Each structure stands twice: as C-alpha cells, then as structure tokens.
Amino acid sequence: MTSSAAQQDLAEPHLRQVLAGVGLDVEYVRAEGNTLHRLDENGRSVPVLDMMGGFGSLILGHHHPRIVARAKELLDARVPVHAQFSRHPYANEVAAVLNDIVHRELGTTEPYHAIFANSGAEAVEAAVKHAEFDRVQKVSALEAEIVAHLERTWEAVRGGTARVPGDVLAALEVDAPADPLAGFDRAAAEVQARNAAELARPPLFLTPEGSFHGKLVGSVQLTHNESFRVPFRSLAAQSRFVPLDDPGAIVKIAERERRHLLDLTVTGDRVVLTERPLPVFCAFVLEPIQGEGGIHPLTAEFVREARRVCDALGCPLVADEIQSGMGRSGAFFAGSLIGLRPDYVTLAKSLGGGIAKTAVTLIRASRYRPEFELLHSSTFAKDGFSTQLALTVLQLLEADDGAVYRRAAERGARLRAALEAVRTEYPEIVREVRGTGLMLGLEFHDQSAATSAEIRELATAGFLGYAVAGYLLREHRVRIFPTGSAVNTLRLEPSVDLTDAEIDQVAEGFRGVCRVLHAQDGRRLVGA
Ligand code: F0G
C-alpha cells in the first residue's frame, strides 16, 4: 500500500534536504562487510566502501555471517524476545564475559554489575542516574548526621552546659542576643537556611571539552557542542568542561565548585561551627578516545589526574566506551591503553553486532546500589534477542586469544600509514591524521580563506567536510562523514576486515580530494 502521504517527505525532511545539498541523500539497499550497495539511476547495484561503519557500530562489519546465522537461529527457535521480569541467563552470561574482560584489561578483580539499555545515550543516562542516586544517599546521610548534631547541641544549650560563642554568631552573620537560648535559635535557623539553599542546588558533572555522550535530555548536557547542548540546558544538571590539554584544570574546577553544609556540634562548653564537604559532582564522564568530537585520544596523564581528583572527591569516574570500546582501539577497552581505571563503563554500538540495538552500563560492586534495580527499567532493555546476539559478538571478539584486537591494531596502523602518506604529499591541505587502531580522523586545513568562492562558502558554513564526503561518494564510491562537532575532520571507523585494496581505495579518494582542493576546483568538489 502506498499512501499518498508517502510521496511527501515526512521523516526528517529537512535533514534529507541538507544531505541532498551535498549529494549524500542516496539509498542503500544491501550491506555486507565494509560494503553498502546503492542503486544508480538505471537501477543497477553500485558497491560503496563504507568507512563510516554505522557511526562505529560495525567492528565486525555489516551482516557478519556468524551473527546473521545466530539471529536466524534465535528467531527460528522462537526464543523469547520479551519476557520481562523473569530470569535472564543470557544477560548474565554477557555480564560474565564482560567481567572477564574488565578483569584482564582494567587491572581489577572486583566484580562489575550490569544494567542493560537500548542505546548509547540511554546507557549514559543509566550511569548518571545511578551516580546521582548514590550521591543523594550520601547527601541524605550527611544531612541526617547534621540534624542529629543540631538536636544534641540544642540539648546542651538548653541544659546550660554549652553556649554559642560570639565568633560563631559572627561567622553566621547573626546578631548576638543576651539570651543564650535565643542565640542558639538564631544560629540554628541560619544554619538550616544556608544548608537548605545548598541542598536545593543541582549537582554538576565533570567532562572534558570535546565530549559527546549522547543527545537525550540528561546526556546532552555532557555533550560539549553548544548547539546541541545549550537550548536544552534548563532541562538537566550542568557540566563543567575540562580542557583536554590541561589536566591540572580538573582540580581547579573542583576547588572552584566546592560547597559545604554547616554543622553545629559541642566541644567542651562551646558550640562549634564546622563546614562539612558536600558531594557536588555526580560523575566525571569521559571517552578514552573522543569520537564525535573529532577523534581525540585522551592522554594517560589526563586520566590519571581525573582518577586522582575523583578519588579525592568520592565521585565516580565513568568511561564511556560506547564508540572506543569493543575492540576498535586494538584492545577491548580503549581506556586500558592509557591506564584508565573507571568505576562505571558504558558500552553500546558494536555490542549488538550491527543487528540488535543494545547497550550496557557496568558498575563496580563497591559503588553499586542494588536498590537502583527497582527504580530504573526499560521495556526493551535486556531482551532475549539482543543479549544473545551480544554474547555471540563477544565470543567472536574474544576468539583466538584476541585475534580481532590484534587485527584492529594492525589494520589501523596500515590505514593510518596510507593516510599519513597523503598528508605528506599535501601538507597544505591535510592538517593532521590522528586516532588509535580503527578509530581514525583526517583533518583538513580550514578553507574559509579559499580562493574558490564555492569552497570558501562551504567552509564558512561548516559544510566543507560534507562536501568532501559528497565528492568521495560520487567520484570514489567511498562513504565517509565528518562529525557534527568537528566539521573539517573526516572520521574513519571501518570493520576489522578492511582489506589492503579498500585502504588503497580510501587513500586514492583522499588524493582526489587533495588535488581538487589544491586546484581550488569548487565546481568539481560539489559535482556541478
Ligand atoms: N557516547 C558516545 C561516546 C558516543 O559516541 C555516542 C554516539 C553516544 C554516547 C550516544 O549513543 O547514539 O546510541 O544514543 N555517537 C554517535 C556519533 C552519534 O556520531 O559518534 P547513541
């Protein structure tokens, strides 16, 4: 049935127009390995080399035969997809395999509990909610202690064994009355008012500049790009962003945001006022290799300092491995390459093997709040189909003593060398090649002062990377994209089965781009 409305574009028509503007609004009809097939004007299938890899969700490629076979098996066997509130042995097996990997790579023997989700942003939000639940319990315990102290202090003052000294009243900026009981009442009222004001303030997140952690209501506040984040800032708690090249800024931000609750206790015959540190930071969330921000690996020094400050604050350190994890870096966790020791880890993208949509948040047992399981849930999370496919994915990744990780490192090095060769040939066009394993970025120099008006306008509008993508698709049958936050950087995240011929095709494509930009041939770039 073709509805008349189907003739009209109703599903994100604006996005389609934007893609059409640079020749990227093509339809793919078949996918296999690193290849997507599109139909040309004559209805013939044209293979396109897919270097985008589903935003990094295809470490094993499109329709890996073992994953497809497993999916068919599960459906044929009528394995329950939805049986919420029952035992989920497969989810448990996924968690067990992930624990083996955590223990091997992250230098801990502690168990990590698993909370499943359906998408990356959802896994981040589960992490953030859990961290906030934990913080709120700590704040409540502190509040209860302060209330108990206040009662004991009141009894001491009423019984005449202690009095509020002038310096305490002065510190609280209240006048000193003659009557000691009135002095206590004023001090207590002021302490309670100030504490209430502190407790009403929302928590903060710490995250590096350039971060991307999703676009839902909470996670978008952990995403640095202002255009994604700022319009929605009233909806959720805010982040403090740390410059990547200045790990020392972490402790400065922590100092600047320090808050406390006031506590009245008795020492000898005097009422004493103390400041009790309030846990302000809900979580420090970071990507070991920033993806959407334009492929920026974090340094060992940065994560060491993050760990140190988190320990001092009692704040959980969350490694968002949604894009960098699952083997792409040459290890299962990219964080393991820089000595990251996280309290929470999030995974999504490749976990579903390119077929299922699944995600997970892992939480260190010593920080885990089991009651959270009764507070947080989702209809689709932890379903039978996706968790069993995730198990197959993990088995494929872990097979042959980590052959996939070694291959990601080897293929990545080879791809990188090919891109570096292009940069060496065109240093005035290609600014930098960076990344780790099969998570690479190629950044072009800014072209906003180009002599070609077309190129200049594209660059000024932030569309140069998309125009390059359109050119590569049209002329070299290579599918590649810049990221929303780094418009001059093209991101390469192919599967581990990348062949030498595919690497040559990509490098040749980039040479073509460099020739066009070198010649300032704007018309050729946009296919006019
Ligand atoms: N965290 C990281 C590190 C991500 O790269 C992404 C998504 C998310 C969280 C959110 O996951 O889309 O499943 O909700 N990154 C994509 C990108 C969109 O372009 O890199 P999601």
Side-chain angles (χ1 to χ4, degrees):
M1 188 184 80
T2 309
S3 132
S4 61
Q7 310 304 320
Q8 215 185 324
D9 240 343
L10 295 173
E12 299 188 290
H14 177 63
L15 178 62
R16 176 164 177 192
Q17 270 173 17
V18 171
L19 292 174
V22 279
L24 291 167
D25 66 329
V26 296
E27 181 186 346
Y28 295 101
V29 291
R30 192 180 157 80
E32 222 163 358
N34 282 317
T35 306
L36 277 164
H37 295 267
R38 59 175 291 203
L39 294 181
D40 71 8
E41 312 74 53
N42 305 314
R44 273 190 306 258
S45 170
V46 178
V48 170
L49 171 58
D50 183 14
M51 295 302 285
M52 197 175 134
F55 291 140
S57 52
L58 296 166
I59 187 65
L60 296 169
H62 291 277
H63 292 126
H64 186 285
R66 289 274 302 278
I67 301 172
V68 171
R70 184 69 185 133
K72 285 183 181 168
E73 242 173 61
L74 293 168
L75 297 177
D76 286 343
R78 303 289 187 268
V79 166
V81 177
H82 298 306
Q84 294 90 339
F85 278 7
S86 62
R87 289 184 59 202
H88 281 77
Y90 301 108
N92 209 40
E93 278 184 63
V94 170
V97 178
L98 288 173
N99 265 265
D100 288 345
I101 302 172
V102 164
H103 297 159
R104 184 181 73 226
E105 290 198 355
L106 301 182
T108 175
T109 52
E110 195 175 340
Y112 278 60
H113 295 292
I115 296 166
F116 284 83
N118 306 288
S119 70
E122 202 187 313
V124 169
E125 300 220 354
V128 160
K129 273 186 70 185
H130 185 281
E132 179 58 4
F133 185 56
D134 187 42
R135 191 190 72 92
V136 161
Q137 312 264 319
K138 288 179 187 154
V139 171
S140 298
L142 177 60
E143 243 186 299
E145 206 184 303
I146 288 173
V147 168
H149 286 170
L150 201 62
E151 273 168 25
R152 253 179 275 147
T153 306
W154 163 234
E155 278 159 22
V157 173
R158 200 179 43 184
T161 60
R163 69 193 317 271
V164 185
D167 59 333
V168 167
L169 293 168
L172 290 169
E173 295 166 313
V174 292
D175 295 334
D179 173 15
L181 293 186
F184 173 84
D185 284 346
R186 285 185 194 178
E190 186 62 21
V191 162
Q192 282 168 323
R194 291 194 192 186
N195 286 353
E198 284 301 333
L199 290 165
R201 294 171 69 179
L204 293 170
F205 300 112
L206 280 163
T207 191
E209 288 180 358
S211 285
F212 185 96
H213 297 290
K215 286 183 176 170
L216 294 185
V217 163
S219 47
V220 79
Q221 293 308 320
L222 287 153
T223 289
H224 189 216
N225 186 322
E226 285 191 9
S227 52
F228 297 155
R229 171 172 50 90
V230 171
F232 311 104
R233 61 185 314 160
S234 305
L235 293 177
Q238 301 295 295
S239 293
R240 294 290 177 260
F241 295 95
V242 186
L244 273 187
D245 59 357
D246 184 12
I250 303 171
V251 78
K252 288 186 199 139
I253 295 170
E255 282 292 313
R256 201 188 315 136
E257 300 294 346
R258 239 166 47 152
R259 294 185 220 152
H260 54 257
L261 295 184
L262 295 174
D263 193 11
L264 288 174
T265 51
V266 177
T267 303
D269 62 354
R270 293 165 65 87
V271 171
V272 181
L273 179 69
T274 46
E275 293 181 346
R276 307 288 304 274
L278 182 66
V280 170
F281 292 100
C282 171
F284 193 146
V285 189
L286 52 79
E287 299 154 90
I289 305 169
Q290 292 186 337
E292 202 275 346
I295 311 293
H296 296 282
L298 263 55
T299 62
E301 190 197 354
F302 189 94
V303 300
R304 204 170 38 243
E305 184 60 8
R307 180 72 270 176
R308 196 184 68 75
V309 176
C310 280
D311 286 343
L313 295 171
C315 158
L317 182 55
V318 182
D320 181 347
E321 293 264 14
I322 284 166
Q323 191 165 155
S324 59
M326 309 288 306
R328 183 165 293 289
S329 69
F332 186 91
F333 293 116
S336 69
L337 304 173
I338 46 172
L340 179 59
R341 300 284 177 262
D343 301 306
Y344 297 28
V345 184
T346 53
L347 290 168
K349 297 207 190 249
S350 288
L351 185 61
I355 293 179
K357 299 166 186 170
T358 188
V360 69
T361 305
L362 300 172
I363 302 173
R364 189 191 282 281
S366 55
R367 287 189 168 267
Y368 189 61
R369 298 270 185 179
E371 318 90 276
F372 185 71
E373 293 168 24
L374 307 179
L375 305 178
H376 183 80
S377 64
S378 149
T379 300
F380 291 148
K382 209 169 66 171
D383 72 275
F385 182 73
S386 64
T387 46
Q388 296 205 59
L389 279 193
L391 194 57
T392 303
V393 171
L394 293 175
Q395 284 160 352
L396 289 169
L397 293 181
E398 288 281 288
D400 301 328
D401 199 24
V404 167
Y405 313 135
R406 291 192 295 280
R407 193 164 167 79
E410 185 274 327
R411 291 287 84 191
R414 185 151 185 147
L415 174 58
R416 187 181 180 135
L419 301 176
E420 280 290 359
V422 178
R423 192 183 68 87
T424 310
E425 287 163 43
Y426 295 94
E428 76 289 1
I429 307 282
V430 179
R431 182 168 181 266
E432 193 180 25
V433 176
R434 56 178 180 263
T436 309
L438 284 172
M439 194 165 169
L440 297 174
L442 180 145
E443 184 176 354
F444 288 97
H445 281 291
D446 180 29
Q447 290 280 340
S448 52
T451 51
S452 148
E454 274 120 333
I455 296 176
R456 201 167 54 237
E457 277 162 29
L458 282 165
T460 312
F463 279 118
L464 180 75
Y466 289 96
V468 167
Y471 167 87
L472 283 169
L473 180 61
R474 203 171 54 246
E475 302 226 2
H476 294 269
R477 295 181 181 179
V478 174
R479 175 175 150 86
I480 197 163
F481 272 86
T483 64
S485 302
V487 291
N488 288 338
T489 300
L490 296 193
R491 175 167 49 165
L492 299 96
E493 296 191 344
S495 86
V496 284
D497 293 321
L498 188 71
T499 64
D500 287 350
E502 289 169 339
I503 292 175
D504 292 344
Q505 188 182 344
V506 176
E508 231 5 82
F510 276 122
R511 275 196 187 84
V513 174
C514 289
R515 279 194 295 271
V516 166
L517 290 177
H518 183 78
Q520 288 289 295
D521 192 346
R523 294 178 63 77
R524 178 91 187 269
L525 184 68
V526 298

